[in-house]
Coordinates of all heavy atoms in Angstrom, one line a residue:
M1 N 23.8 -46.2 1.5 CA 24.8 -45.2 2.0 C 24.5 -43.8 1.3 O 23.9 -43.7 0.3 CB 26.2 -45.7 1.6 CG 26.6 -45.6 0.2 SD 28.2 -46.1 -0.3 CE 29.3 -44.9 0.4
E2 N 24.9 -42.9 2.0 CA 24.7 -41.5 1.6 C 25.9 -40.8 1.0 O 26.9 -41.0 1.5 CB 24.2 -40.6 2.8 CG 23.7 -39.2 2.5 CD 23.1 -38.5 3.6 OE1 23.0 -39.2 4.7 OE2 22.8 -37.3 3.4
V3 N 25.8 -40.2 -0.1 CA 26.8 -39.5 -0.9 C 26.3 -38.2 -1.3 O 25.3 -38.1 -2.1 CB 27.3 -40.3 -2.1 CG1 28.4 -39.5 -2.8 CG2 27.8 -41.7 -1.7
L4 N 26.8 -37.1 -0.7 CA 26.4 -35.8 -1.0 C 24.9 -35.7 -1.1 O 24.3 -35.2 -2.0 CB 27.0 -35.4 -2.3 CG 28.6 -35.4 -2.4 CD1 29.1 -35.0 -3.8 CD2 29.1 -34.3 -1.3
D5 N 24.2 -36.0 0.0 CA 22.8 -35.9 0.2 C 21.9 -36.8 -0.7 O 20.7 -36.5 -0.9 CB 22.3 -34.4 -0.1 CG 22.9 -33.6 1.1 OD1 23.1 -34.0 2.2 OD2 23.1 -32.3 0.8
R6 N 22.6 -37.8 -1.3 CA 21.9 -38.7 -2.1 C 22.0 -40.1 -1.7 O 23.1 -40.4 -1.1 CB 22.2 -38.6 -3.6 CG 21.7 -37.4 -4.3 CD 22.4 -37.1 -5.6 NE 21.8 -38.1 -6.6 CZ 22.1 -37.9 -7.8 NH1 22.9 -37.0 -8.3 NH2 21.5 -38.8 -8.7
Y7 N 21.1 -40.9 -1.7 CA 21.2 -42.3 -1.3 C 21.5 -43.3 -2.4 O 20.8 -43.2 -3.3 CB 20.0 -42.7 -0.5 CG 19.9 -42.0 0.9 CD1 19.1 -40.8 1.0 CD2 20.6 -42.5 2.0 CE1 19.1 -40.1 2.2 CE2 20.4 -41.7 3.2 CZ 19.8 -40.6 3.3 OH 19.8 -39.9 4.5
V8 N 22.5 -44.0 -2.2 CA 22.9 -44.9 -3.3 C 23.2 -46.3 -2.8 O 23.3 -46.5 -1.5 CB 24.2 -44.4 -4.0 CG1 24.0 -43.1 -4.7 CG2 25.4 -44.4 -3.0
V9 N 23.2 -47.3 -3.6 CA 23.4 -48.6 -3.2 C 24.6 -49.1 -4.0 O 24.8 -49.0 -5.2 CB 22.3 -49.6 -3.7 CG1 22.5 -51.0 -3.3 CG2 21.0 -49.1 -3.1
L10 N 25.6 -49.7 -3.3 CA 26.8 -50.3 -3.9 C 26.5 -51.9 -3.9 O 26.1 -52.4 -2.9 CB 28.1 -50.0 -3.0 CG 28.6 -48.6 -3.1 CD1 29.8 -48.5 -2.1 CD2 29.0 -48.2 -4.5
V11 N 26.8 -52.4 -5.1 CA 26.6 -53.8 -5.3 C 27.9 -54.5 -5.8 O 28.4 -54.0 -6.8 CB 25.5 -54.1 -6.3 CG1 25.3 -55.6 -6.6 CG2 24.1 -53.5 -5.8
R12 N 28.3 -55.5 -5.2 CA 29.4 -56.2 -5.8 C 29.0 -57.5 -6.4 O 28.3 -58.2 -5.8 CB 30.5 -56.5 -4.8 CG 31.7 -57.2 -5.3 CD 33.0 -57.2 -4.4 NE 32.6 -58.1 -3.4 CZ 33.3 -58.5 -2.4 NH1 34.4 -57.9 -2.2 NH2 33.0 -59.3 -1.4
Y13 N 29.2 -57.7 -7.7 CA 28.7 -58.8 -8.4 C 29.8 -59.2 -9.4 O 30.2 -58.3 -10.2 CB 27.4 -58.6 -9.0 CG 26.8 -59.8 -9.6 CD1 26.2 -60.8 -8.8 CD2 26.9 -60.0 -11.0 CE1 25.7 -61.9 -9.4 CE2 26.4 -61.1 -11.6 CZ 25.8 -62.1 -10.8 OH 25.2 -63.2 -11.4
D14 N 30.1 -60.5 -9.5 CA 31.0 -61.0 -10.5 C 32.3 -60.2 -10.6 O 32.8 -59.8 -11.6 CB 30.3 -61.0 -11.8 CG 30.9 -62.0 -12.8 OD1 31.6 -63.0 -12.3 OD2 30.6 -62.0 -14.0
A15 N 32.9 -59.8 -9.4 CA 34.2 -59.2 -9.3 C 34.1 -57.7 -9.7 O 35.2 -57.1 -9.9 CB 35.3 -59.9 -10.0
Q16 N 32.9 -57.1 -9.8 CA 32.7 -55.7 -10.1 C 31.9 -55.0 -9.1 O 31.2 -55.7 -8.4 CB 32.1 -55.5 -11.6 CG 32.9 -56.1 -12.7 CD 34.1 -55.2 -13.1 OE1 34.0 -54.0 -12.9 NE2 35.2 -55.8 -13.4
V17 N 32.1 -53.8 -9.0 CA 31.3 -53.0 -8.0 C 30.4 -52.0 -8.9 O 30.9 -51.3 -9.7 CB 32.1 -52.2 -7.0 CG1 31.2 -51.4 -6.1 CG2 33.0 -53.2 -6.2
Y18 N 29.2 -52.0 -8.6 CA 28.3 -51.0 -9.3 C 27.5 -50.3 -8.3 O 27.5 -50.5 -7.2 CB 27.2 -51.9 -10.1 CG 27.8 -53.0 -11.0 CD1 27.9 -54.3 -10.6 CD2 28.2 -52.6 -12.3 CE1 28.5 -55.2 -11.5 CE2 28.8 -53.4 -13.1 CZ 28.9 -54.7 -12.7 OH 29.5 -55.6 -13.6
C19 N 27.0 -49.1 -8.8 CA 26.4 -48.2 -7.9 C 25.1 -47.6 -8.7 O 25.2 -47.1 -9.7 CB 27.3 -47.0 -7.5 SG 26.6 -45.8 -6.4
I20 N 24.0 -47.7 -8.0 CA 22.8 -47.1 -8.5 C 22.0 -46.4 -7.4 O 22.4 -46.6 -6.2 CB 21.7 -48.2 -9.1 CG1 21.2 -49.1 -8.1 CG2 22.4 -48.8 -10.3 CD1 20.2 -50.1 -8.7
E21 N 21.1 -45.4 -7.8 CA 20.4 -44.8 -6.8 C 19.6 -45.7 -5.9 O 19.0 -46.8 -6.4 CB 19.5 -43.7 -7.5 CG 19.0 -42.6 -6.7 CD 20.0 -41.4 -6.8 OE1 21.1 -41.6 -7.3 OE2 19.6 -40.3 -6.2
D22 N 19.6 -45.3 -4.6 CA 18.7 -46.3 -3.7 C 17.3 -45.8 -3.7 O 16.7 -45.4 -2.8 CB 19.3 -46.1 -2.2 CG 18.7 -47.1 -1.3 OD1 18.0 -48.0 -1.9 OD2 19.0 -47.1 -0.2
L23 N 16.7 -45.9 -4.9 CA 15.4 -45.4 -5.2 C 14.6 -46.2 -6.2 O 15.1 -46.2 -7.4 CB 15.4 -43.9 -5.6 CG 14.1 -43.3 -6.0 CD1 13.3 -43.1 -4.8 CD2 14.4 -42.0 -6.7
C24 N 13.7 -46.9 -5.9 CA 12.8 -47.6 -7.0 C 11.9 -46.5 -7.5 O 11.2 -45.7 -6.8 CB 12.0 -48.6 -6.2 SG 10.8 -49.3 -7.4
T25 N 11.9 -46.4 -8.8 CA 11.0 -45.4 -9.6 C 9.5 -45.7 -9.5 O 8.8 -44.9 -10.0 CB 11.6 -45.2 -10.9 OG1 11.5 -46.4 -11.6 CG2 13.1 -44.7 -10.9
H26 N 9.2 -46.8 -9.1 CA 7.8 -47.1 -9.0 C 7.0 -46.4 -8.0 O 6.2 -45.6 -8.2 CB 7.6 -48.6 -8.8 CG 6.1 -49.0 -8.6 ND1 5.6 -49.6 -7.4 CD2 5.0 -48.8 -9.3 CE1 4.3 -49.8 -7.5 NE2 3.9 -49.3 -8.7
D27 N 7.5 -46.5 -6.7 CA 6.8 -45.8 -5.7 C 7.8 -45.4 -4.5 O 7.5 -45.4 -3.3 CB 5.7 -46.6 -5.1 CG 4.8 -45.9 -4.1 OD1 4.6 -44.7 -4.4 OD2 4.1 -46.5 -3.2
G28 N 9.1 -45.2 -4.9 CA 10.1 -44.7 -3.9 C 10.6 -45.8 -3.0 O 11.2 -45.4 -1.9
G29 N 10.5 -47.0 -3.3 CA 11.1 -48.1 -2.4 C 12.5 -47.9 -2.3 O 13.3 -47.3 -3.1
T30 N 13.0 -48.5 -1.3 CA 14.5 -48.5 -0.9 C 15.1 -49.8 -1.6 O 15.0 -50.9 -1.0 CB 14.8 -48.6 0.6 OG1 14.2 -47.4 1.1 CG2 16.3 -48.5 0.9
L31 N 15.9 -49.7 -2.6 CA 16.5 -50.8 -3.3 C 17.5 -51.5 -2.5 O 17.8 -52.6 -2.7 CB 17.0 -50.4 -4.7 CG 16.0 -49.8 -5.7 CD1 16.7 -49.4 -6.9 CD2 15.0 -51.0 -6.0
G32 N 18.1 -50.8 -1.6 CA 19.2 -51.3 -0.7 C 18.8 -52.5 0.2 O 19.5 -53.3 0.6
D33 N 17.5 -52.6 0.3 CA 16.9 -53.7 1.1 C 16.5 -54.8 0.2 O 16.1 -55.9 0.7 CB 15.6 -53.3 1.9 CG 16.0 -52.2 3.0 OD1 17.0 -52.2 3.4 OD2 15.1 -51.5 3.4
G34 N 16.7 -54.8 -1.1 CA 16.4 -55.8 -2.0 C 17.4 -56.9 -2.2 O 18.6 -56.7 -1.7
E35 N 17.0 -57.9 -2.8 CA 18.0 -59.0 -3.1 C 18.4 -59.0 -4.6 O 17.7 -58.5 -5.4 CB 17.3 -60.3 -2.8 CG 17.0 -60.5 -1.4 CD 16.4 -61.8 -1.0 OE1 16.4 -62.7 -2.0 OE2 16.1 -62.1 0.2
L36 N 19.6 -59.5 -4.8 CA 20.1 -59.6 -6.1 C 19.5 -60.8 -6.9 O 19.5 -61.9 -6.3 CB 21.6 -59.8 -6.1 CG 22.5 -58.5 -6.2 CD1 23.9 -58.8 -6.2 CD2 22.2 -57.7 -7.5
D37 N 19.2 -60.6 -8.1 CA 18.8 -61.7 -9.0 C 19.7 -61.6 -10.3 O 19.3 -60.8 -11.2 CB 17.3 -61.7 -9.3 CG 16.9 -62.7 -10.3 OD1 17.6 -63.6 -10.6 OD2 15.8 -62.6 -10.8
G38 N 20.9 -62.2 -10.2 CA 21.8 -62.0 -11.3 C 22.4 -60.6 -11.2 O 22.7 -60.0 -10.1
Y39 N 22.2 -59.9 -12.3 CA 22.7 -58.4 -12.4 C 21.6 -57.5 -11.8 O 21.7 -56.3 -11.9 CB 23.2 -57.9 -13.7 CG 24.5 -58.5 -14.1 CD1 24.8 -59.6 -14.9 CD2 25.6 -57.9 -13.6 CE1 26.0 -60.0 -15.3 CE2 26.9 -58.2 -13.8 CZ 27.1 -59.2 -14.8 OH 28.4 -59.8 -15.1
C40 N 20.4 -58.0 -11.5 CA 19.2 -57.2 -11.1 C 19.1 -57.2 -9.7 O 19.2 -58.1 -8.9 CB 18.0 -57.8 -11.7 SG 18.0 -57.6 -13.6
L41 N 18.8 -55.9 -9.1 CA 18.4 -55.7 -7.8 C 16.9 -55.6 -7.8 O 16.2 -54.9 -8.5 CB 19.0 -54.3 -7.3 CG 19.0 -54.0 -5.9 CD1 19.7 -55.3 -5.0 CD2 19.9 -52.8 -5.6
V42 N 16.3 -56.4 -6.9 CA 14.8 -56.6 -6.8 C 14.3 -55.7 -5.8 O 14.6 -55.8 -4.6 CB 14.5 -58.0 -6.6 CG1 12.9 -58.1 -6.6 CG2 15.1 -58.9 -7.6
C43 N 13.4 -54.7 -6.1 CA 12.7 -53.9 -5.2 C 11.9 -54.8 -4.1 O 11.1 -55.5 -4.7 CB 11.9 -52.8 -5.8 SG 11.0 -51.8 -4.5
P44 N 12.1 -54.6 -2.9 CA 11.4 -55.7 -1.9 C 10.0 -55.1 -1.8 O 9.2 -56.0 -1.2 CB 12.1 -55.3 -0.6 CG 12.8 -54.0 -0.8 CD 13.1 -53.8 -2.2
R45 N 9.4 -54.0 -2.3 CA 8.1 -53.7 -2.1 C 7.2 -54.4 -3.0 O 6.2 -55.0 -2.7 CB 7.9 -52.2 -2.1 CG 8.5 -51.5 -0.9 CD 8.3 -50.1 -0.8 NE 6.8 -49.8 -0.7 CZ 6.3 -48.6 -1.1 NH1 7.1 -47.6 -1.6 NH2 5.0 -48.5 -1.0
H46 N 7.4 -54.3 -4.3 CA 6.5 -54.8 -5.3 C 7.1 -55.6 -6.4 O 6.5 -56.0 -7.4 CB 5.6 -53.7 -5.9 CG 5.0 -52.7 -5.0 ND1 5.4 -51.4 -4.9 CD2 4.0 -53.0 -4.0 CE1 4.7 -50.9 -3.9 NE2 3.9 -51.8 -3.5
G47 N 8.5 -55.7 -6.3 CA 9.3 -56.6 -7.2 C 9.8 -56.1 -8.5 O 10.3 -56.9 -9.3
A48 N 9.8 -54.8 -8.6 CA 10.5 -54.2 -9.9 C 11.9 -54.6 -9.8 O 12.5 -54.8 -8.7 CB 10.4 -52.7 -9.9
K49 N 12.6 -54.7 -11.0 CA 14.0 -55.1 -11.1 C 14.7 -54.1 -11.8 O 14.2 -53.5 -12.9 CB 14.1 -56.5 -11.7 CG 13.6 -57.7 -11.0 CD 13.8 -58.9 -11.7 CE 13.1 -60.1 -10.9 NZ 13.6 -61.4 -11.7
F50 N 15.9 -53.8 -11.3 CA 16.8 -52.8 -11.9 C 18.1 -53.5 -12.2 O 18.7 -54.1 -11.3 CB 16.9 -51.5 -11.0 CG 15.7 -50.8 -10.8 CD1 14.7 -51.2 -9.8 CD2 15.3 -49.7 -11.7 CE1 13.6 -50.6 -9.6 CE2 14.2 -49.1 -11.5 CZ 13.3 -49.5 -10.5
D51 N 18.7 -53.3 -13.5 CA 20.0 -53.7 -13.7 C 21.1 -52.9 -13.0 O 21.1 -51.6 -13.2 CB 20.2 -53.7 -15.2 CG 21.4 -54.4 -15.7 OD1 22.5 -54.3 -15.0 OD2 21.3 -55.1 -16.8
V52 N 21.9 -53.4 -12.2 CA 22.8 -52.7 -11.4 C 24.0 -52.1 -12.3 O 24.6 -51.3 -11.9 CB 23.5 -53.5 -10.3 CG1 22.4 -53.9 -9.2 CG2 24.2 -54.7 -10.8
R53 N 24.1 -52.6 -13.5 CA 25.1 -52.1 -14.4 C 24.8 -50.7 -15.0 O 25.7 -49.9 -15.4 CB 25.4 -53.1 -15.5 CG 25.9 -54.4 -15.0 CD 26.0 -55.5 -16.0 NE 24.7 -55.9 -16.4 CZ 24.4 -56.9 -17.3 NH1 25.4 -57.5 -17.8 NH2 23.1 -57.1 -17.5
N54 N 23.5 -50.4 -15.1 CA 23.1 -49.1 -15.7 C 21.9 -48.5 -15.2 O 21.4 -47.5 -15.6 CB 23.0 -49.4 -17.2 CG 22.0 -50.6 -17.5 OD1 21.2 -50.9 -16.7 ND2 22.3 -51.2 -18.7
G55 N 21.3 -49.1 -14.2 CA 20.0 -48.6 -13.6 C 18.8 -48.8 -14.3 O 17.7 -48.3 -13.9
H56 N 18.9 -49.5 -15.5 CA 17.7 -49.6 -16.4 C 16.7 -50.6 -15.7 O 17.1 -51.7 -15.1 CB 18.1 -50.3 -17.7 CG 18.8 -49.4 -18.6 ND1 19.3 -49.6 -19.8 CD2 19.2 -48.0 -18.3 CE1 20.0 -48.6 -20.4 NE2 19.9 -47.6 -19.5
V57 N 15.5 -50.2 -15.7 CA 14.4 -51.1 -15.2 C 14.2 -52.2 -16.2 O 14.1 -52.0 -17.4 CB 13.1 -50.3 -14.9 CG1 12.5 -49.7 -16.2 CG2 12.1 -51.1 -14.2
V58 N 14.1 -53.5 -15.7 CA 13.9 -54.6 -16.5 C 12.7 -55.4 -16.1 O 12.4 -56.4 -16.8 CB 15.2 -55.5 -16.5 CG1 16.4 -54.8 -17.0 CG2 15.4 -56.0 -15.1
C59 N 11.9 -55.0 -15.1 CA 10.7 -55.7 -14.8 C 9.8 -54.7 -14.0 O 10.2 -53.9 -13.2 CB 11.1 -56.8 -13.8 SG 9.6 -57.7 -13.3
M60 N 8.6 -54.7 -14.5 CA 7.5 -53.7 -14.0 C 7.3 -54.3 -12.4 O 7.6 -55.3 -12.1 CB 6.3 -53.9 -14.7 CG 6.4 -53.3 -16.1 SD 5.0 -53.3 -17.2 CE 3.8 -52.3 -16.3
P61 N 6.6 -53.4 -11.6 CA 5.7 -52.2 -12.0 C 6.5 -51.0 -12.3 O 5.9 -50.1 -12.8 CB 4.8 -52.2 -10.8 CG 5.6 -52.6 -9.7 CD 6.5 -53.8 -10.3
A62 N 7.8 -50.9 -12.0 CA 8.5 -49.7 -12.4 C 8.6 -49.6 -13.9 O 8.7 -50.6 -14.5 CB 9.8 -49.7 -11.6
T63 N 8.6 -48.4 -14.5 CA 8.7 -48.1 -15.9 C 9.9 -47.2 -16.2 O 10.1 -47.1 -17.4 CB 7.3 -47.7 -16.5 OG1 7.0 -46.5 -15.8 CG2 6.3 -48.7 -16.3
E64 N 10.4 -46.6 -15.2 CA 11.5 -45.5 -15.5 C 12.8 -46.1 -14.9 O 12.8 -46.7 -13.7 CB 11.2 -44.2 -14.8 CG 9.9 -43.6 -15.6 CD 9.6 -42.2 -15.0 OE1 10.6 -41.6 -14.4 OE2 8.5 -41.8 -15.1
N65 N 13.9 -45.9 -15.6 CA 15.2 -46.2 -14.9 C 15.5 -45.4 -13.7 O 15.0 -44.4 -13.5 CB 16.3 -46.0 -16.0 CG 16.1 -46.7 -17.3 OD1 15.4 -47.7 -17.3 ND2 16.6 -46.1 -18.4
T66 N 16.4 -46.0 -12.9 CA 16.9 -45.3 -11.8 C 18.4 -44.8 -12.1 O 19.1 -45.5 -12.9 CB 16.8 -46.0 -10.5 OG1 16.9 -45.3 -9.3 CG2 17.9 -47.2 -10.4
P67 N 18.8 -43.7 -11.6 CA 20.2 -43.3 -12.0 C 21.2 -44.3 -11.6 O 21.2 -44.9 -10.5 CB 20.4 -41.9 -11.3 CG 19.0 -41.5 -11.0 CD 18.2 -42.8 -10.7
S68 N 22.2 -44.3 -12.4 CA 23.4 -45.2 -12.1 C 24.6 -44.2 -12.0 O 24.6 -43.2 -12.6 CB 23.7 -46.3 -13.2 OG 24.1 -45.7 -14.4
H69 N 25.6 -44.7 -11.2 CA 26.7 -43.8 -10.9 C 28.0 -44.6 -11.2 O 28.1 -45.8 -11.0 CB 26.7 -43.4 -9.5 CG 25.4 -42.8 -9.1 ND1 25.0 -41.5 -9.6 CD2 24.4 -43.3 -8.3 CE1 23.7 -41.3 -9.1 NE2 23.4 -42.3 -8.3
E70 N 29.0 -43.8 -11.7 CA 30.4 -44.4 -12.0 C 31.1 -44.8 -10.6 O 31.1 -44.0 -9.7 CB 31.2 -43.3 -12.7 CG 32.5 -43.8 -13.2 CD 33.3 -42.6 -13.8 OE1 32.6 -41.8 -14.4 OE2 34.6 -42.8 -13.8
V71 N 31.6 -45.9 -10.7 CA 32.5 -46.4 -9.5 C 33.9 -46.7 -10.0 O 34.1 -47.2 -11.0 CB 31.9 -47.7 -9.0 CG1 32.7 -48.3 -7.9 CG2 30.4 -47.6 -8.5
R72 N 34.8 -46.3 -9.1 CA 36.2 -46.6 -9.3 C 36.8 -47.1 -8.0 O 36.5 -46.5 -6.9 CB 37.0 -45.4 -9.8 CG 38.4 -45.7 -10.2 CD 39.0 -44.5 -11.1 NE 38.9 -43.2 -10.3 CZ 40.0 -42.8 -9.6 NH1 41.1 -43.5 -9.5 NH2 39.8 -41.6 -9.0
I73 N 37.5 -48.1 -8.1 CA 38.2 -48.7 -7.0 C 39.6 -48.2 -6.9 O 40.4 -48.2 -7.9 CB 38.2 -50.2 -7.0 CG1 36.8 -50.7 -7.1 CG2 38.9 -50.7 -5.7 CD1 35.9 -50.5 -6.0
D74 N 40.0 -47.6 -5.8 CA 41.5 -47.1 -5.6 C 42.0 -47.6 -4.4 O 41.7 -47.1 -3.2 CB 41.3 -45.6 -5.6 CG 42.7 -45.0 -5.5 OD1 43.8 -45.7 -5.7 OD2 42.8 -43.7 -5.3
G75 N 42.7 -48.7 -4.4 CA 43.2 -49.4 -3.2 C 42.1 -49.9 -2.5 O 41.3 -50.8 -3.0
D76 N 41.9 -49.5 -1.2 CA 40.8 -50.1 -0.4 C 39.7 -49.1 -0.3 O 38.8 -49.2 0.5 CB 41.4 -50.4 1.0 CG 41.9 -49.2 1.7 OD1 42.1 -48.1 1.1 OD2 42.3 -49.3 3.0
Q77 N 39.7 -48.0 -1.3 CA 38.6 -47.1 -1.3 C 37.7 -47.2 -2.5 O 38.2 -47.7 -3.6 CB 39.2 -45.7 -1.3 CG 40.0 -45.1 -0.1 CD 40.3 -43.7 -0.2 OE1 40.8 -43.3 -1.1 NE2 40.0 -43.1 0.9
V78 N 36.4 -47.2 -2.3 CA 35.5 -47.2 -3.4 C 35.1 -45.7 -3.6 O 34.5 -45.0 -2.8 CB 34.2 -48.0 -3.0 CG1 33.2 -47.9 -4.1 CG2 34.6 -49.4 -2.7
L79 N 35.3 -45.2 -4.9 CA 35.0 -43.8 -5.2 C 33.8 -43.8 -6.1 O 33.7 -44.6 -7.1 CB 36.2 -43.2 -6.0 CG 37.6 -43.3 -5.2 CD1 38.8 -42.7 -6.1 CD2 37.4 -42.5 -3.9
V80 N 32.9 -42.9 -5.8 CA 31.7 -42.8 -6.6 C 31.6 -41.5 -7.3 O 31.7 -40.5 -6.5 CB 30.4 -43.1 -5.7 CG1 29.2 -42.9 -6.4 CG2 30.5 -44.5 -5.2
R81 N 31.3 -41.4 -8.5 CA 31.0 -40.2 -9.1 C 29.5 -40.1 -9.5 O 29.0 -40.9 -10.3 CB 31.8 -39.9 -10.4 CG 31.5 -38.7 -11.1 CD 32.3 -38.5 -12.4 NE 33.6 -38.1 -11.9 CZ 34.6 -38.1 -12.8 NH1 34.5 -38.4 -14.0 NH2 35.8 -37.8 -12.3
L82 N 28.8 -39.2 -8.8 CA 27.3 -39.2 -9.0 C 27.0 -38.7 -10.4 O 27.6 -37.7 -10.8 CB 26.8 -38.3 -7.9 CG 26.8 -38.7 -6.5 CD1 26.3 -37.7 -5.5 CD2 26.2 -40.0 -6.3
S83 N 26.0 -39.2 -11.0 CA 25.5 -38.8 -12.2 C 24.5 -37.5 -11.9 O 24.1 -37.4 -10.8 CB 24.8 -39.8 -13.0 OG 23.7 -40.4 -12.2
D84 N 24.0 -36.9 -12.9 CA 23.1 -35.8 -12.7 C 21.7 -36.3 -12.3 O 21.4 -37.3 -12.5 CB 22.9 -34.9 -13.9 CG 24.3 -34.2 -14.2 OD1 25.0 -33.9 -13.2 OD2 24.6 -33.8 -15.3
Ligands
FES101 S1 8.2 -49.4 -4.8 FE1 9.5 -50.7 -5.9 S2 8.2 -52.0 -7.0 FE2 6.8 -50.7 -6.0

């Protein structure tokens, strides 16, 4: 989904909603097309994994974290505060 010209992925896991940038730092893959492996979103291109709780890379070939964003649920709305 697009938020203020940035592409992000919302993930619901274990009764929580998380938001990270829809960008694999390895080679620009789209994480939104990846599958969840526990708390990790797996890049469908080469298999890097990012923790949806904080955007930290946990499996190569990516070596840099992807941004994570604050999420708040307000009734039936999901509010996202973009990080820098
Ligand atoms: S683009 Fe994501 S692992 Fe290569």
Side-chain angles (χ1 to χ4, degrees):
M1 74 184 288
E2 187 175 353
V3 178
L4 299 175
D5 296 330
R6 289 170 73 172
Y7 289 92
V8 299
V9 180
L10 288 173
V11 176
R12 186 170 67 184
Y13 185 79
D14 204 18
Q16 295 288 322
V17 178
Y18 304 97
C19 183
I20 63 173
E21 202 87 354
D22 190 6
L23 174 69
C24 176
T25 57
H26 172 236
D27 194 29
T30 302
L31 296 175
D33 293 336
E35 295 187 2
L36 268 181
D37 179 8
Y39 283 106
C40 292
L41 194 53
V42 182
C43 179
R45 289 188 60 203
H46 311 110
K49 295 182 181 182
F50 296 86
D51 190 320
V52 297
R53 296 171 292 186
N54 51 28
H56 290 180
V57 63
V58 296
C59 181
M60 292 177 68
T63 58
E64 295 180 26
N65 302 332
T66 199
S68 65
H69 308 291
E70 181 182 335
V71 175
R72 188 164 57 91
I73 306 297
D74 185 9
D76 60 354
Q77 292 188 315
V78 178
L79 306 174
V80 174
R81 176 177 289 167
L82 296 174
S83 62
D84 293 334

